[in-house]
Amino acid sequence: MAEASRILHTTLVPNFSTPTHKIPCCSPRSLSHPTTSHYYSRRTATLVRCSISTAGDAARTAAAANSTIPWGCDVDSLENASALQKWLSDSGLPPQKMAIERVEVGERGLVALKNIRKGEKLLFVPPSLFITADSDWSCAEAGEVLKRNGVPDWPLLATYLISEASLMKSSRWSNYISALPRQPYSLLYWTRSELDKYLEASQIRERAIERINNVTGTYNDLRLRIFSQYPDLFPEEVFNMETFKWSFGILFSRLVRLPSMDGRVALVPWADMLNHSCEVDTFLDYDKSSKGVVFTTDRPYQPGEQVFISYGKKSNGELLLSYGFVPREGTNPRDSVQLSLSLKKSDKCYKEKFEALRKHGLSASQCYPVQITGWPLELMAYAYLAVSPPSMSGKFDEMAAVASNKTTSKKDIRYPEIEEQALQFILDSCESSISKYSKFIQQSGSMDLDVTSPKQLNRKLFLKQLAVDICTSERRILFRSQYILRRKLRDIRSGELKALNLFDGFRKLFKF
C-alpha cells in the first residue's frame, strides 16, 4: 500500500487532460494499532471514535468532531463482519479455515477455525470480489465521466468508494462498505497543530503534511475540473473533503498491489481483515492456478489463533503514516529513521556542490534512512560531498551521483583523506536529531493537552502515546548510530595517534 508520500503528488494530483497512468500503491496490506504482543491489528483502540478534521483551527476541528461518515462501522462490530462473511460466501468465496472474530484489544481479525499447516494456501478470493479501477459502477455515468477525463486509479477508486457507499443497500458492495471502519486510522486524521505538536522531532511529520496536502489537492482538483461540472452526478453533500479523507484513508490502509496481475491495485474484501505481524513474511498475491488472491502461511496455526500476514518491509514511521499505529520498540526488524543532512551555506564550494546535487535530482538538504544495522552508501556519499575541500572539486559530480543512487556503478566509494570529517558530519547530524527527540520525550510527561471533552481527552492521550512511541523507536536507532560513529572515529583517531607516535620514534632514532 503506501509507498512514500514523495510519489503521491504526481499520482494523486494528476493533469486530467493526459491519459491515465499507473499509480504507485501504498503498501502490501492494511493495519493499525499495537497490541501487547508482537502482533498488530489494523483497527486502532476503540477509545478513538470521533471524526477529526485535518484543518488546523479549533473551530473546524470541533465541527469535524461532531460530524460522522454515514456508512461504515465501529472497529469492533462483529454484526457487520458476520454480514460481510455471509455475503462473500453467497457471492462465491469458497469455504474458509478462518473466521472474523474479536482479537487482542477488542478489534477484529481472521482467526483459525481448524489446524493450519505451515506452507498452506489460504483465502482464494476470486477476482469477481475485487474492487479495481475496472469495476462496474452502480452509477455508470459517473464512472464514464471520470474515465473520460483520464482520472488515475487512486482518485478513481476513492471516488468509486464514495459513490457506492452513498447508495447504501442498493450498492453491490454495501455489506463490504458497512464492515469498513467509519474512520480509518492514519495521519490523515491528525490536525496540523497535532502534527506540529506531537511529531516535531520526526521526519514523518513532513511526510504526513505532504500526504494531507496531496489528498486535499486531489479533492480540490476533482471538484474544480469535474464535480462542479456535473453536480447531479457528484453532489457536494456526498463528494466532499470529509468523505474523500475517509476513502483515501481506506485506500492507504487496505489497497493491495498484486504482483502476479501486473502490479494491479485492488481492494480485496475478506483478505483485508488480516492483520500484520512483524514476525511473518507472507503476503497477498494473485494465484493463477486457483484464480484467486491467496497467501501461503510461513508458520502453523492452531484453532483459535489469529492468522497474520506482512504488510511489507516498512519502518514504524511508515506504519504510523498509513495505519495509525507504532509497533512496540525493538520488535520491527525493518524499522528505520530518516536522518536529515544539509550543506553548509558557509561552505566555500556551496554553489558547486549544490549544482552537482541538483544535476542528479537532489537538493541542498536530503533525508536518508538509517537502520539499527547502519546507513546506506548514498548517505555516506552525501557526507563526503558535504565535507570535501575545494581541492576535491573534480570528485563532486561522482559523489552527488552516488548520493542520488542514479549511478550505474555500485562501488563502495571511499575517500580516506576525508573519512574522519565525513563521519563527524554524520555524527553531528545524528546528535542534533537525538537532541530533538529527547527534548520532546522529556516534555511529553507535562504536555498540556488543552481539552475539555472526555472523548477528546482520550484521543489526545492516544495521539500523544503514539508520538512518544515513534520518537522512542526512532531515537533508539539514532543512539545505535551514534555509538557506531563514535567508535569508528575513536579507531581512526587512535590509529592516527599511533602513526604519529611511531613517526616521532623514528625521528628520534635517526636524530644526530
Side-chain angles (χ1 to χ4, degrees):
M1 282 170 205
E3 239 36 276
S5 61
R6 44 184 174 265
I7 61 176
L8 292 179
H9 182 75
T10 55
T11 63
L12 298 186
V13 192
N15 180 346
F16 294 123
S17 63
T18 60
T20 184
H21 55 277
K22 190 70 78 175
I23 313 265
C25 182
C26 280
S27 85
R29 251 314 3 105
S30 137
L31 203 74
S32 192
H33 182 238
T35 68
T36 54
S37 71
H38 288 195
Y39 304 118
Y40 306 95
S41 165
R42 175 176 303 105
R43 324 298 181 255
T44 56
T46 55
L47 59 86
V48 186
R49 298 273 178 87
C50 49
S51 178
I52 309 300
S53 168
T54 56
D57 61 277
R60 189 171 172 187
T61 300
N66 294 322
S67 68
T68 304
I69 296 294
W71 49 75
C73 66
D74 291 335
V75 295
D76 58 351
S77 172
L78 289 184
E79 179 182 357
N80 287 326
S82 299
L84 169 65
Q85 189 169 350
K86 182 179 184 306
W87 170 72
L88 288 169
S89 298
D90 294 342
S91 301
L93 184 73
Q96 301 286 304
K97 287 189 173 183
M98 300 174 292
I100 303 173
E101 294 184 13
R102 284 197 180 95
V103 293
E104 303 297 340
V105 290
E107 300 169 2
R108 302 172 299 177
L110 294 186
V111 172
L113 297 174
K114 305 176 181 179
N115 286 318
I116 296 174
R117 303 184 310 275
K118 178 181 178 180
E120 189 170 348
K121 287 185 178 180
L122 299 176
L123 292 181
F124 303 100
V125 183
S128 60
L129 293 177
F130 300 176
I131 294 178
T132 70
D134 297 325
S135 295
D136 293 331
W137 291 58
S138 296
C139 179
E141 190 177 354
E144 289 170 4
V145 166
L146 294 179
K147 291 176 182 178
R148 195 163 60 239
N149 281 274
V151 177
D153 288 2
W154 270 67
L156 183 71
L157 284 168
T159 310
Y160 180 87
L161 266 184
I162 298 169
S163 178
E164 296 298 317
S166 67
L167 296 174
M168 300 296 188
K169 293 293 183 181
S170 61
S171 170
R172 179 201 173 196
W173 304 104
S174 62
N175 289 102
Y176 174 57
I177 292 169
S178 295
L180 293 175
R182 191 171 291 117
Q183 177 180 300
Y185 297 112
S186 75
L187 294 187
L188 287 178
Y189 283 85
W190 290 41
T191 67
R192 178 57 185 269
S193 62
E194 288 165 350
L195 291 171
D196 292 342
K197 183 175 185 178
Y198 297 129
L199 297 179
E200 61 178 340
S202 176
Q203 290 295 326
I204 282 298
R205 171 185 168 276
E206 298 301 322
R207 293 178 60 188
I209 292 170
E210 184 179 2
R211 176 169 291 186
I212 292 169
N213 289 339
N214 285 335
V215 170
T216 303
T218 298
Y219 166 70
N220 288 335
D221 211 20
L222 287 170
R223 180 171 55 84
L224 177 65
R225 295 172 181 261
I226 300 176
F227 297 165
S228 62
Q229 307 301 316
Y230 302 91
D232 293 338
L233 294 176
F234 306 102
E236 190 171 359
E237 60 268 23
V238 174
F239 298 88
N240 52 57
M241 190 62 246
E242 286 302 310
T243 57
F244 263 82
K245 189 166 56 178
W246 171 80
S247 63
F248 271 111
I250 294 296
L251 296 184
F252 282 127
S253 61
R254 291 173 178 266
L255 203 63
V256 284
R257 181 178 291 280
L258 303 171
S260 297
M261 294 187 77
D262 298 322
R264 172 176 293 191
V265 293
L267 289 169
V268 186
W270 183 253
D272 63 6
M273 289 291 173
L274 284 161
N275 292 319
H276 169 82
S277 167
C278 292
E279 296 179 343
V280 303
D281 293 315
T282 187
F283 57 91
L284 299 175
D285 196 7
Y286 181 73
D287 180 58
K288 294 180 180 178
S289 60
S290 60
K291 300 187 185 308
V293 162
V294 305
F295 74 97
T296 304
T297 58
D298 57 4
R299 53 152 289 189
Y301 293 93
Q302 301 295 319
E305 281 191 277
Q306 187 177 180
V307 181
F308 297 96
I309 61 171
S310 169
Y311 297 165
K313 297 179 180 180
K314 301 188 176 303
S315 69
N316 288 358
E318 290 171 320
L319 294 173
L320 174 61
L321 183 64
S322 289
Y323 313 118
F325 85 101
V326 179
R328 201 156 46 82
E329 184 183 1
T331 61
N332 181 5
R334 288 98 177 195
D335 195 16
S336 65
V337 58
Q338 293 289 322
L339 182 63
S340 179
L341 304 175
S342 298
L343 295 179
K344 294 181 179 179
K345 290 192 174 181
S346 59
D347 191 328
K348 294 179 180 179
C349 298
Y350 177 86
K351 184 177 180 181
E352 293 84 350
K353 292 177 180 180
F354 175 71
E355 289 300 324
L357 289 169
R358 190 170 66 171
K359 175 183 175 182
H360 294 281
L362 302 179
S363 64
S365 295
Q366 287 294 135
C367 288
Y368 292 96
V370 176
Q371 293 185 303
I372 202 75
T373 53
W375 49 86
L377 175 62
E378 292 83 359
L379 185 153
M380 196 67 203
Y382 186 100
Y384 279 135
L385 178 64
V387 302
S388 55
S391 60
M392 297 184 69
S393 60
K395 299 289 186 180
F396 289 176
D397 187 72
E398 178 185 47
M399 295 172 184
V402 176
S404 69
N405 196 24
K406 293 179 182 178
T407 178
T408 56
S409 173
K410 289 295 182 181
K411 65 178 181 178
D412 184 6
I413 63 167
R414 290 196 64 190
Y415 304 96
E417 65 271 35
I418 56 171
E419 182 90 6
E420 180 181 348
Q421 296 95 312
L423 293 174
Q424 185 64 54
F425 176 78
I426 298 173
L427 178 60
D428 291 343
S429 299
C430 184
E431 292 182 335
S432 176
S433 292
I434 289 174
S435 176
K436 293 177 183 177
Y437 283 109
S438 298
K439 181 180 178 182
F440 170 77
I441 293 170
Q442 290 168 2
Q443 292 178 344
S444 63
S446 59
M447 189 176 286
D448 182 9
L449 296 178
D450 190 27
V451 289
T452 55
S453 164
K455 181 183 289 186
Q456 282 294 301
L457 177 61
N458 284 341
R459 180 182 176 281
K460 295 287 186 181
L461 288 170
F462 174 72
L463 297 188
K464 189 177 81 165
Q465 186 58 56
L466 284 177
V468 170
D469 289 346
I470 190 66
C471 287
T472 302
S473 171
E474 293 183 344
R475 187 179 65 162
R476 170 178 173 265
I477 298 173
L478 292 174
F479 272 141
R480 175 62 179 171
S481 298
Q482 180 190 49
Y483 169 78
I484 294 172
L485 287 160
R486 286 178 173 176
R487 189 178 63 185
K488 284 179 175 289
L489 286 167
R490 181 196 63 203
D491 291 344
I492 289 173
R493 288 162 182 166
S494 63
E496 290 174 349
L497 182 60
K498 287 179 182 178
L500 181 60
N501 290 337
L502 183 62
F503 175 76
D504 286 342
F506 276 115
R507 188 172 60 179
K508 292 175 181 177
L509 181 63
F510 293 102
K511 187 176 181 180
F512 292 99

